[in-house]
Amino acid sequence: MTENIKEALQYAVELSEREEKTIEVDGKQYYDAGSHNLRELDPKKYPERLYLTTLDSLIDYYKNNINKIAEQRTMIVVDNPREVYVYTEDDELKKRTLLITIEADLPKLSFGQFMSADEFNIMMQSKFLNQYDRENTIDFASKLVFEDGADIEDDGVSQITTVKQGVASRAKAKAPNPVKLAPYRTFLEVKQPESDFILRLDKNANLALFEADGGFWKIQAVRLVKEYLSENLKGIENTFVLA
């Protein structure tokens, strides 16, 4: 008997044994491997993880029932202000499967880093909403003058320096502190949470913003993202939004 024939016969025996140990539970076929160990013969298969960048793209995905997502029991987890994950609620393997990752495409913010007045103004105008104290902060930075012999008075809370007042005049001005600002820090579909910042100048009159709310804005952002998704996914009964 050739080796190929031996292998074929062995395979036939294994098939026979397997069929005898196959049982059906809730309409699914399992192989009884003994010791209360059931292995599903045709386990549920999921498509490769999908990567998105906006909340609206996720909402469209559900409403169009792509990959029959609206028919599955899923959990949408708002992990942080920039990231949302979609998991199967549970499956036959008793583990959650990650189906979708949504990561906000946001500008990079440079807090705690000193920069020139020009760089500071560009950052303020391109990465912050035109609300609250943005214009006052830009105005202060734009009029800042630093010449030989100039000095910055600092009491640990506010700093006083020289600013332009007219064509030939100079005046002392106190840096506004704290300043309330709303930078782009979470998904753009939701309201950007505002928070307090400390404006500081170094000895070369470079400016920097330091966060001063203890990270409370993150809690606000997560809540806003959850509310947005919950409102726009009403009617899709198998989906739960968690934060």
Side-chain angles (χ1 to χ4, degrees):
M1 184 181 296
T2 66
E3 189 65 29
N4 288 340
I5 294 176
K6 286 182 180 179
E7 291 178 357
L9 288 174
Q10 180 63 33
Y11 178 69
V13 171
E14 291 176 356
L15 273 181
S16 176
E17 292 177 348
R18 177 170 172 169
E19 288 177 359
E20 292 176 359
K21 294 183 178 181
T22 298
I23 62 175
E24 183 173 316
V25 180
D26 293 333
K28 296 179 181 179
Q29 296 292 321
Y30 293 85
Y31 171 65
D32 185 0
S35 301
H36 306 288
N37 183 15
L38 297 180
R39 300 176 184 173
E40 189 177 353
L41 297 179
D42 186 21
K44 185 182 295 185
K45 296 177 176 62
Y46 297 99
E48 291 185 6
R49 192 196 319 181
L50 182 64
Y51 294 88
L52 305 173
T53 58
T54 67
L55 300 178
D56 284 345
S57 61
L58 176 64
I59 292 166
D60 288 342
Y61 189 84
Y62 268 93
K63 288 187 174 180
N64 287 286
N65 199 20
I66 299 173
N67 298 130
K68 296 184 178 181
I69 187 70
E71 299 171 19
Q72 303 179 47
R73 292 181 66 84
T74 55
M75 295 185 300
I76 301 175
V77 180
V78 185
D79 187 72
N80 59 68
R82 291 172 174 256
E83 295 176 316
V84 174
Y85 301 102
V86 180
Y87 296 91
T88 57
E89 185 189 20
D90 199 0
D91 62 31
E92 292 78 7
L93 300 178
K94 296 302 178 185
K95 68 177 183 180
R96 297 184 179 92
T97 301
L98 179 57
L99 301 177
I100 305 172
T101 294
I102 309 97
E103 185 173 356
D105 185 12
L106 298 171
K108 183 179 179 181
L109 294 164
S110 301
F111 298 137
Q113 299 180 25
F114 286 95
M115 62 190 75
S116 69
D118 285 343
E119 293 173 316
F120 184 84
N121 282 336
I122 290 172
M123 180 185 74
M124 292 296 300
Q125 294 183 63
S126 61
K127 300 178 182 180
F128 289 72
L129 290 177
N130 186 15
Q131 295 178 353
Y132 310 110
D133 296 325
R134 193 190 81 160
E135 289 309 303
N136 288 338
T137 305
I138 291 174
D139 185 64
F140 174 83
S142 300
K143 295 179 178 179
L144 193 62
V145 176
F146 194 77
E147 299 172 338
D148 291 341
D151 191 22
I152 296 176
E153 301 173 23
D154 191 348
D155 62 6
V157 178
S158 299
Q159 292 173 293
I160 299 176
T161 188
T162 306
V163 299
K164 295 179 182 177
Q165 191 178 44
V167 176
S169 63
R170 300 286 186 267
K172 294 286 187 178
K174 180 181 290 189
N177 265 319
V179 289
K180 181 175 289 188
L181 300 167
Y184 296 110
R185 294 181 288 188
T186 189
F187 292 90
L188 300 183
E189 293 97 329
V190 305
K191 177 181 179 291
Q192 299 300 306
E194 74 280 3
S195 58
D196 286 343
F197 292 84
I198 302 300
L199 174 64
R200 300 291 292 174
L201 294 88
D202 67 9
K203 62 182 181 180
N204 296 314
N206 294 314
L207 303 104
L209 286 173
F210 294 83
E211 295 182 89
D213 77 333
F216 181 68
W217 72 269
K218 296 178 183 178
I219 299 175
Q220 293 178 293
V222 167
R223 176 179 55 80
L224 289 167
V225 172
K226 177 186 177 181
E227 290 176 355
Y228 185 84
L229 289 172
S230 298
E231 178 65 27
N232 284 278
L233 290 175
K234 279 183 177 178
I236 301 178
E237 298 179 354
N238 293 322
T239 300
F240 306 91
V241 183
L242 305 175

